[in-house]
Amino acid sequence: MAATDAFLRPDEVVRVLDGRLGRVHARQRLGIEDEHETQAFGQGLTFVHLENIPLSRAILHVLLRISGTYWRGRDNAGKIELRRNVISSARIDPAFDGFAILHLSDLHADMSARAMRRVAEIASGLSYDLIVLTGDYRGETFGPYHSCLRELRELRVALKGDIFAVLGNHDSIRMVPDLERMGVKFLLNENVAIARDGARIYLAGVDDAHFYRVDNIEKAATGIPDDSFSILLSHTPEIYRQAAHAGFDLMLSGHTHGGQICLPGGIPVTLEARLPRRMGRGPWRYGEMAGYTSAGAGACIVPVRFNCPPEMTLHVLRTSA
């Protein structure tokens, strides 16, 4: 998509979604979003959603400025760290030994401009085979999203090769048609086979499971052979039990920001998620499934970080005996 191209009009977005999802599914999904996107209490997996309460942002801003830590937190939010994670499994075909997946999550691109520039800088110097995005592309949870799309369009220039993505609780499904025009393929309760030297692994993705509750793991897993290594993309790791029981080998997520504002030692004040704290950031296991929760590249509510650096992650697949 050229930088001079205009974004789709609202009627064009609906028309594309009708074709992409089917008219009934598209209208149901849009209706759920329109009814709930501003809801602060009682929707989704957690009862309270601070990101939907404007007063919470104002209070945090005031407290950080009074304490004199605001600008240090903003500086921290731009210091992206590249993390590396090795996933070893006997189920990984030797053809995929060394296969590298660049994982970006929680970009919140329109309120994390400095972080996005750093992501682009780091990504341009990396070697990888595939990019996955695990949701939360805009800063707000409702309202206009074109400023976010403009930031993502600039970032897309620095990203090489195929990109697969899922939606997060901050995202509107109305963003999908324009992002797919940029070459970002969304997995909306769908899967795709990744081929290499005659072998295949499978990549599946679910729609937002945290707030809109529109995930469908059964549909996302349909057609994946039992003997194939499979990866599930989910914005939130909260559905780890369902993913493991469905037979996925690896789950890549974000959503928690690792806490974003943490106590010394990286202890999160809150993860805004219903899951064991050990799954709130970094690698973890549940049963036979490996998992990784990204601390995210951007920041939300307030553009600060304390004791929890933003990250982008390079996952490398290794065949084990």
Side-chain angles (χ1 to χ4, degrees), residues 217 237-246 251 274 276 286 289:
I217 287 183
E238 291 168 290
I239 56 171
Y240 64 92
R241 290 188 183 89
Q242 299 96 308
H245 296 323
M251 180 177 177
R274 294 174 57 185
Y286 182 78
M289 185 181 73

Side-chain angles (χ1 to χ4, degrees), residues 10-321:
D11 63 306
E12 293 175 320
V13 167
V14 172
R15 177 177 53 79
V16 172
L17 288 174
D18 282 351
R20 174 75 169 78
L21 302 175
R23 181 178 174 84
V24 173
H25 182 182
R27 299 309 165 96
Q28 286 178 329
R29 179 63 173 80
L30 288 166
I32 291 170
E33 186 175 305
D34 290 342
E35 286 184 1
H36 296 291
E37 64 178 358
T38 61
Q39 191 169 336
F41 302 99
Q43 168 68 20
L45 292 177
T46 56
F47 182 74
V48 180
H49 301 279
L50 293 175
E51 64 271 27
N52 287 358
I53 306 174
L55 185 60
S56 65
R57 177 176 306 167
I59 291 171
L60 279 171
H61 266 288
V62 169
L63 291 175
L64 290 168
R65 288 182 181 276
I66 289 174
S67 68
T69 59
Y70 178 78
W71 292 107
R72 178 161 60 87
R74 284 205 61 163
D75 187 55
N76 292 340
K79 296 178 178 178
I80 306 283
E81 293 186 355
L82 175 65
R83 297 187 178 273
R84 299 177 187 269
N85 180 49
V86 176
I87 298 110
S88 297
S89 172
R91 289 170 51 79
I92 296 173
D93 190 282
F96 281 91
D97 188 61
F99 191 84
I101 301 171
L102 181 60
H103 177 194
L104 303 175
S105 194
D106 301 271
L107 298 174
H108 299 289
D110 47 343
M111 65 179 295
S112 304
R114 182 184 169 201
M116 294 307 96
R117 290 193 295 270
R118 182 59 179 151
V119 168
E121 180 183 345
I122 294 173
S124 63
L126 287 178
S127 175
Y128 49 84
D129 299 288
L130 189 71
I131 299 173
V132 297
L133 310 178
T134 50
D136 274 11
Y137 308 106
R138 67 175 173 178
E140 299 288 355
T141 56
F142 53 87
Y145 53 79
H146 288 122
S147 60
C148 169
L149 294 181
R150 282 189 284 272
E151 291 288 343
L152 293 172
R153 186 165 58 188
E154 290 188 16
L155 177 60
R156 178 66 180 95
V157 175
L159 302 177
K160 306 179 289 287
D162 293 332
I163 304 177
F164 293 93
V166 293
L167 292 171
N169 58 293
H170 278 245
D171 305 316
S172 170
I173 199 165
R174 290 177 172 87
M175 299 164 65
V176 168
D178 278 307
L179 286 169
E180 291 202 323
R181 292 173 75 212
M182 296 180 203
V184 179
K185 171 63 176 177
F186 277 82
L187 297 173
L188 302 171
N189 300 319
E190 299 163 312
N191 69 70
V192 62
I194 308 297
R196 194 184 207 195
D197 297 336
R200 291 186 172 189
I201 61 175
Y202 284 79
L203 183 67
V206 290
D207 202 347
D208 174 54
H210 174 76
F211 185 72
Y212 292 114
R213 302 294 302 275
V214 283
D215 56 305
N216 187 330
I217 287 183
E218 182 180 2
K219 183 180 178 183
T222 298
I224 298 179
D226 290 340
D227 60 350
S228 294
F229 185 84
S230 58
I231 303 169
L232 178 67
L233 306 181
S234 169
H235 173 60
T236 178
E238 291 168 290
I239 56 171
Y240 64 92
R241 290 188 183 89
Q242 299 96 308
H245 296 323
F248 284 99
D249 298 288
L250 173 65
M251 180 177 177
L252 302 179
S253 302
H255 177 65
T256 67
H257 289 224
Q260 186 170 316
I261 298 177
C262 294
L263 302 175
I267 301 170
V269 176
T270 178
L271 292 172
E272 294 296 315
R274 294 174 57 185
L275 79 170
R277 289 213 156 200
R278 67 181 180 85
M279 296 179 177
R281 181 184 181 189
W284 46 266
R285 291 197 70 86
Y286 182 78
E288 297 299 314
M289 185 181 73
Y292 190 95
T293 304
S294 171
C300 74
I301 303 183
V302 286
V304 300
R305 280 187 178 262
F306 294 100
N307 302 307
C308 183
E311 71 171 74
M312 48 198 297
T313 314
L314 193 67
H315 302 285
V316 180
L317 305 186
R318 290 295 182 191
T319 303
S320 61

